[in-house]
Amino acid sequence: MSGALAVIGLGPGSPQTLTPEAAAALDRADALYGYGPYLDRVPAKSGQTRHASDNREEGSRAAAALRHAAQGAKVAMVSGGDPGVFAMAAAVCEQIDRGDAAWRSLDVSVVPGVTAMLAVAARVGAPLGHDFCAISLSDNLKPWGVVERRLDAAAGAGFVIALYNPISRARPWQLGKAFERLRQHLPASTPVVFGRAVGRPDEKIGIYSLDAVDPSAADMATLIIIGSPLTRVIERPGRSPLVYTPRFVEGGH
Ligand code: SAH
């Protein structure tokens, strides 16, 4: 029997947003690999082995899963959200690109999941209703100067911005700097959405304006959406506001 590696998105948190395709792929696996807290979300199944690893070990985790699949096992690599968004699918491809030539013959598949920015956007309305981009604020894998250039370009071009990995204990100042920079391009009233742990019991949603937003209200489980100059907030009696970006842009820009 030839081995296979499926890289599987678990969605943002709640079992309801795990797709049937992902559930079936998890069920087929002989072995599960992933970051411990993500593996904890997958119900135990007898006969299936689990290989938890730390957050920072994506490369070695991907290589271990590929080695295991090359021995003939059906291996599942789990990721939060979508595995292709700042996550394990690219880590697996990096290892195949530079690793053992035999890994190129493996049956590798990627099973999509609901990524954090879609889950957060859905909670507040339609902030991603028009052109948008996603940026990871982490400078672990790229220089901070690159992050700044991308923020400038995205805000300057009128994109709504979804910020992944906004802050962590090792990266405490970057988010404040990012907001300072974005204030140079965007109106003070630009809506900013914080979505924390969406789909989990400790979920929290906050809607702020760019001039009043407090970076310390975010943590590493938070996804931030920064509106464009066209993004609007609809206040509603007795209900939380709707944040949306209209589908059309008037004029030539
Ligand atoms: N592959 C994941 C993203 C991994 S990067 C996905 O597609 O969602 C990790 C970042 O994702 C976190 O720092 C946070 O910004 C965001 N994130 C992941 N799960 C989240 C959730 N349930 N609620 C809010 N943000 C989340």
Side-chain angles (χ1 to χ4, degrees), residues 73-112:
K74 298 224 173 311
V75 177
M77 171 73 77
V78 301
S79 235
D82 182 273
V85 179
F86 306 125
M88 287 311 299
V92 165
C93 290
E94 286 160 15
Q95 295 300 319
I96 294 172
D97 202 7
R98 69 166 81 116
D100 189 337
W103 292 349
R104 295 180 185 224
S105 308
L106 284 172
D107 172 6
V108 174
S109 59
V110 178
V111 181

Side-chain angles (χ1 to χ4, degrees), residues 212-224:
V213 71
D214 174 9
S216 70
D219 64 8
M220 61 186 289
T222 307
L223 182 288
I224 298 176

